[in-house]
Structure formats: structure tokens, C-alpha cells
């Protein structure tokens, strides 16, 4: 796991400053390599082939920078007998795979990655990113140079004349994330997941190509019966966990909550290693799952650590948000930061359950979609005019109210109402081309029902929020997070499953819950999805009240995009919304103010 950066026409860039900005991603070793027009920067977190895996790695006229892990690289070496290997690193395997197979090698890789290969023979740079986008890559381009890096803060450290993209900011405020390639800056784009780019070093032209689209697998339905499908999921999960556990020269631990995703991973990992270190956290003001996690830890005799954390939000919030290099609305970034900080004290590599909800249908909001309740609810949406606003977030009334609210919407309005649900029904933003692109992406998707919602979440919520959060939170502490549910094999198989295998009645992740009966204590199997349930309302109304009021009260940057009168009414609790929704809107804008202040 590393930080990488590369520059074409590097003469005007401060290479040392760029390297320094990536040190937290690679504290073990740093290198700047310069050849002709090209500068390559690498900061290394040593996990595989600790003694010999130096980068950039060179072979003949090729040079590779690699951030990530290729979990099946030893299997792939069986196809590379014509090469003489000098290391046991997956970086060398990846370079030789590219030399032999070119872009076709991407279809064979199981891993998380963002890498560049400079071919000095053809004067081109090959960039690629993994299927789900676990490992980030950002690209800045002007008339004279091109600069790519693992983080936006690295781009910012090297480019002083960055210009804010206010249409992207407006879209962020409404949506709660930066959609697709968009970032807060003009001329800076995030590389597409599941893609490869070919860059002409002389002209700086970029040719973009897609090698993975999960929609293809949603359109290849499996005819396996339920028991066969469950066995296949079990087999894939075993391979995915085993490969992520054993492809490390360092000890690998696991996050363990009271849910079935992380518990399944711990159960299976315990088959391949003794004394697995597991970590559960207890946060002030958050739901305590430690007693549930302890059941799994006891069953599999793990070296279990229950870590009690007091979140010092008032003192740490600006530091936590700064790591993202952009406005970041997801408040669970806060506990994710603290969890990673504590886990790093024990291990450098950690398994997690990321992705399970988005491919197996783990959220409650999937239930009405899978059961076609939306059409029924739409007939009663007129009741919203007379029903009181719900304030109890988890109540049945709150779920019914939100279902009614979703039911009379289409396209982007429906998607946002079902997911981030920030300003929906409370404030209307001026439409712009980014929102129009999102609308087009949603409306042109040919999938239907549950599969469509899962597809959209994979490409939007997971890619641009959840995986960003985990990458930044872990790498801020030089901790590597590995996600078995996002393996090549799982992403190619799970979409082929019938919707009925994922949602049955009101039961989410049905096939995983049934599989769990083989491995987990009974008390865990029926537990609902919780995630990091942060006390956001408390933060906004108490811990950070003065800070948020000060940032939004007078001449705020947010008032460029949201009418200041509305902001003031929101601060004064004069907008008719639930307390939770009010907190989310204020947090959304506060995150923007924190980012703007850091510039």
C-alpha cells in the first residue's frame, strides 16, 4: 500500500512537497525518480516483500508505480515463466503481466489498485484503477503538463493555481458527494473505476477505456438454485478472505462489529490463521455492539480488543476533514478516523466488510423497492401535506413517512431521497450540467427494480463516498484496509443472483443471513444494518454548535449556493424538517466551510 504521483513536464513542480504530502500513505520508504520529461514519486507502506519491493520498479524501458495489492499474483506468475523474477512482490508480477498481456491483464487481476506504467519505447503512460475504485487516483492537466496522484492534497501541494469548480460544489451540496470524475477543482478529475487510460507523453492526450462494468454481470442472470448459490457465495468468500489474509508479510487483523458482514469474515479468516486479532469499538453516544461482537470473538477464540473511544470532535474535526482534500459530508468519517487510529497500534493490515451492503442489498431502503411497495405508496403520497414531520429516526412512522416521500419522485430526485436525503423537499438547487449527467446516468440505466438500485449505489454511493471514507481514514494512519466482499470473483458472481436471493420479504441480505447460520451465533443473524451511527444531532446542537454557527452565520461560502435566508432559518430551527435532517444539512455545509477555510 502506497502513495503514488507522476508528472509529465515536471520542471515547475515542487517534487519534495508532493512527496511530503504522501508520507502518511507510505512512511517506510520514499523515492523520486526522474527521466527525461517524467518524474515518478513513490511513498511505501511495506506489506509484501518488505525487503525488496522498492518502487518505482524498472524493467528494460518500462517503469511502474503501484498503489494497492494484487491478491492472486502468485497464481498469475504461473503464466509468466518466460520472465526472470528478482523479487516476490506483486509489483513485479503486475509489470510483467502488463508487458505480456497489455490491457487484457486487468481482467485477470484480483485486487485493489491504482498504478501507472511508463513505456519509454512508445512514449506513453498506462494508468489503471481497480473494479470498485478502492484505490484512488486524481489527474490534473493544463496546457503544458499532466500530474496524477493518490490524493487531492498531493495535487494541491504541487499546483498552486487550482481554480474552484463551483458547479461541482453546488452539486456536492445537494447530493452529498462528488459525482464520478468531478472534484472541487477545474482541470482536476478523478480517474474512473474499472478503467484504463493511455496518455501520450508528447501531446498529453488521454484515451479512456473501460474494462469492467458491473452492469454486464447484472444482465447475466444465474440459473443456480438457492442452495447452489449459497454454496458458491461461501466458496468465493473463503477464497477472497484467504487471499487477503495470506498475501501479506505482516500480521493481518479484522474489524469486528455486531453485524454479519465482518463477523462472517472473522469466522472464515479463523480457519486460516490462529489467534486472529479482532477489533470492536465503543463510542460515546453511539450504539454499543461490543456485546454482539464478543459472541463471535469467543466462538472463534480471536485475540479480541474492545476499544473505548471518546471522540474529541471539537478539537479534531478540522484535522479529520482536512485529510480528504475536498468537502466530505459523510459524518461517519469521524469514527472511521478514530477506529483506524486505534487499530494501527496493533496491526498494519485490517480486513473489513466494505461492499457487502451494496452488492447483497443490506440497507432497509432496498426492501420497498424489491417488494414493489413504491407504486402502492405513491397512491398515498398526498398524505405528506397533513402528516407531521417525524423526529424519531428509527421509528416505523419515520420509515413510512420516508417511503411516502420517495414514492412520488423519479430519477435523481428519487435516488437522493432514498440515499443521502439532504436538501430534498426542503430546498431547490439550480440545476447544472453535473446534476443533469447524474439524471442521465440514472434514467438511461436499463436495469430495473432492486438490481438498478444496487447498480446505482455501486457506482455512486460506494465509489464516491464509502470507499473514499475508508481509504482516507485508514491511510491517514498508514493502515491498509482489505475488503473480501469486493473481490473480482464476488463482483462477477453476486450481480448474477436473483433479487429474491438478496431480499426476502423484509429481510435484507437474505442469502448472507442464511449462510451465516453455518458460522455465527444466532443472536447476530437477525441484526439490522447499523454502520457507524454517529450522534450527529448532538454534535450539531452541542459539541460543535458554536463552530458551525460561526462558520455559517455571516458571509459563509455556502451562501454562494444556498440562499442565506434559508441557512439562517436552518440555524435558528425555523425550517420544518426533522432534527436529524437539519443536522445533516448543516453538517454538509459545515464540511464545505472547513474545506474552504483550509485553502
Amino acid at each position: 500500500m502506497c502513495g503514488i504521483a507522476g508528472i509529465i513536464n515536471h520542471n515547475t513542480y515542487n517534487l519534495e512537497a508532493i512527496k511530503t504530502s504522501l508520507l502518511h500513505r507510505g512512511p517506510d520508504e520514499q523515492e523520486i525518480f526522474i527521466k527525461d520529461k517524467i518524474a515518478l514519486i513513490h511513498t511505501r507502506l511495506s506489506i509484501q516483500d518488505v525487503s525488496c519491493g522498492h518502487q518505482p520498479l524498472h524493467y528494460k524501458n518500462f517503469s511502474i508505480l503501484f498503489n494497492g495489492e494484487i491478491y492472486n499474483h502468485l497464481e498469475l506468475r504461473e503464466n509468466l515463466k518466460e520472465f526472470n523474477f528478482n523479487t516476490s512482490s506483486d509489483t513485479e508480477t503486475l509489470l510483467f503481466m502488463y508487458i505480456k498481456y497489455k490491457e487484457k491483464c486487468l481482467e485477470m487481476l484480483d485486487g485493489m489498485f491504482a498504478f501507472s506504467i511508463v513505456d519509454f519505447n512508445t512514449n506513453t503512460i498506462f494508468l489503471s484503477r481497480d473494479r470498485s475504485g478502492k484505490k484512488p487516483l486524481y489527474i490534473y492537466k493544463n496546457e503544458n503538463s499532466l500530474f496524477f496522484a493518490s490524493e487531492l492534497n498531493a495535487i494541491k501541494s504541487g499546483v498552486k493555481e487550482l481554480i474552484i469548480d463551483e458547479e461541482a460544489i453546488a452539486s456536492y451540496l445537494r447530493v452529498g458527494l462528488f459525482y464520478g470524475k468531478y472534484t472541487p477543482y477545474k482541470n482536476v478529475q478523478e480517474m474512473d473505476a474499472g478503467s484504463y487510460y493511455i496518455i501520450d507523453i508528447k501531446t498529453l492526450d488521454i484515451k479512456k477505456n473501460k474494462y469492467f462494468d458491473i452492469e454486464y454481470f447484472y444482465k447475466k442472470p444465474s440459473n443456480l438454485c438457492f442452495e447452489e448459490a449459497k454454496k458458491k457465495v461461501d466458496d468465493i468468500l473463503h477464497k477472497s478472505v484467504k487471499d487477503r489474509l495470506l498475501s501479506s508479510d505482516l500480521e493481518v487483523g479484522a474489524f469486528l462489529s455486531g453485524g454479519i458482514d465482518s463477523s462472517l469474515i472473522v469466522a472464515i479468516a479463523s480457519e486460516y490463521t490462529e489467534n486472529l486479532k479482532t477489533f470492536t469499538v465503543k463510542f460515546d453516544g453511539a450504539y454499543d455492539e461490543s456485546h454482539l461482537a464478543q459472541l463471535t470473538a469467543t466462538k472463534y477464540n480471536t485475540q479480541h480488543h474492545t476499544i473505548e473511544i471518546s471522540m474529541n470532535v471539537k478539537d479534531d474535526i478540522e484535522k479529520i476533514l482536512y485529510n480528504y482534500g475536498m468537502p466530505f459530508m459523510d459524518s461517519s468519517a469521524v469514527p472511521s478516523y478514530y477506529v483506524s487510529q486505534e487499530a494501527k497500534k496493533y496491526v498494519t493490515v485490517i480486513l473489513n466488510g466494505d461492499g457487502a451492503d451494496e452488492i447483497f442489498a443490506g440497507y432497509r431502503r432496498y426492501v420497498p423497492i424489491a417488494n414493489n411497495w413504491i407504486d402502492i405508496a405513491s397512491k398515498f403520497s398526498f398524505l405528506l401535506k397533513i402528516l407531521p414531520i417525524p423526529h424519531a429516526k428509527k421509528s416505523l412512522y419515520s420509515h413510512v413517512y420516508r417511503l411516502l416521500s420517495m414514492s412520488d419522485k423519479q430519477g435523481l430526485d428519487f435516488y437522493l431521497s432514498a440515499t443521502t436525503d439532504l436538501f430534498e423537499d426542503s430546498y431547490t438547487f439550480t440545476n447544472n450540467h453535473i446534476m443533469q449527467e447524474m439524471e442521465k446516468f440514472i434514467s438511461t440505466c436499463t436495469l430495473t427494480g432492486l438490481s438498478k438500485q444496487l447498480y446505482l449505489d455501486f457506482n455512486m454511493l460506494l465509489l464516491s463516498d464509502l470507499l473514499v471514507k475508508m481509504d482516507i481514514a485508514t491511510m491517514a494512519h498508514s493502515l491498509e484496509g482489505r475488503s473480501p466482499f469486493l473481490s473480482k470473483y464476488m463482483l462477477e458472481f453476486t450481480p448474477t443472483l436473483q433479487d429474491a436471493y438478496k431480499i426476502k420479504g423484509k429481510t435484507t441480505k437474505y442469502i448472507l443471513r442464511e449462510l451465516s447460520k453455518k458460522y455465527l451465533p444466532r443472536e447476530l443473524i437477525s441484526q439490522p444494518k447499523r454502520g457507524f451511527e454517529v450522534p450527529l444531532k448532538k454534535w450539531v446542537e452541542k459539541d460543535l454548535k458554536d463552530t458551525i454557527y460561526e462558520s455559517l452565520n455571516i458571509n459563509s461560502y455556502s451562501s454562494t449556493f444556498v440562499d442565506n435566508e434559508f441557512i439562517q432559518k436552518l440555524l435558528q430551527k425555523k425550517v420544518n424538517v426533522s432534527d436529524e435532517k437539519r443536522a445533516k444539512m448543516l453538517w454538509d455545509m459545515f464540511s464545505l466551510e472547513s474545506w474552504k477555510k483550509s485553502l
Side-chain angles (χ1 to χ4, degrees), residues 31-32 93 132 196 212 291 298 417 423 431 442 456 528 584:
E31 182 70 36
I32 297 176
T93 306
S132 60
Y196 65 92
F212 176 80
H291 62 292
T298 300
S417 183
F423 290 85
N431 212 6
I442 292 168
L456 295 178
K584 287 201 299 181

Side-chain angles (χ1 to χ4, degrees), residues 137-140 181 183 187-191 197 206 208:
L137 200 64
Y138 297 91
I139 302 171
Y140 167 79
K181 67 181 180 181
T183 74
N187 300 328
V188 181
Q189 62 178 264
E190 184 172 9
M191 184 178 184
Y197 295 178
I206 304 175
K208 300 181 180 181

Side-chain angles (χ1 to χ4, degrees), residues 54-72:
H54 313 295
Q55 292 190 47
L57 188 148
H58 313 287
Y59 177 79
K60 295 184 178 179
N61 282 312
F62 296 93
S63 295
I64 183 171
L65 284 178
F66 171 45
N67 171 29
E69 306 288 350
I70 307 299
Y71 303 113
N72 62 337

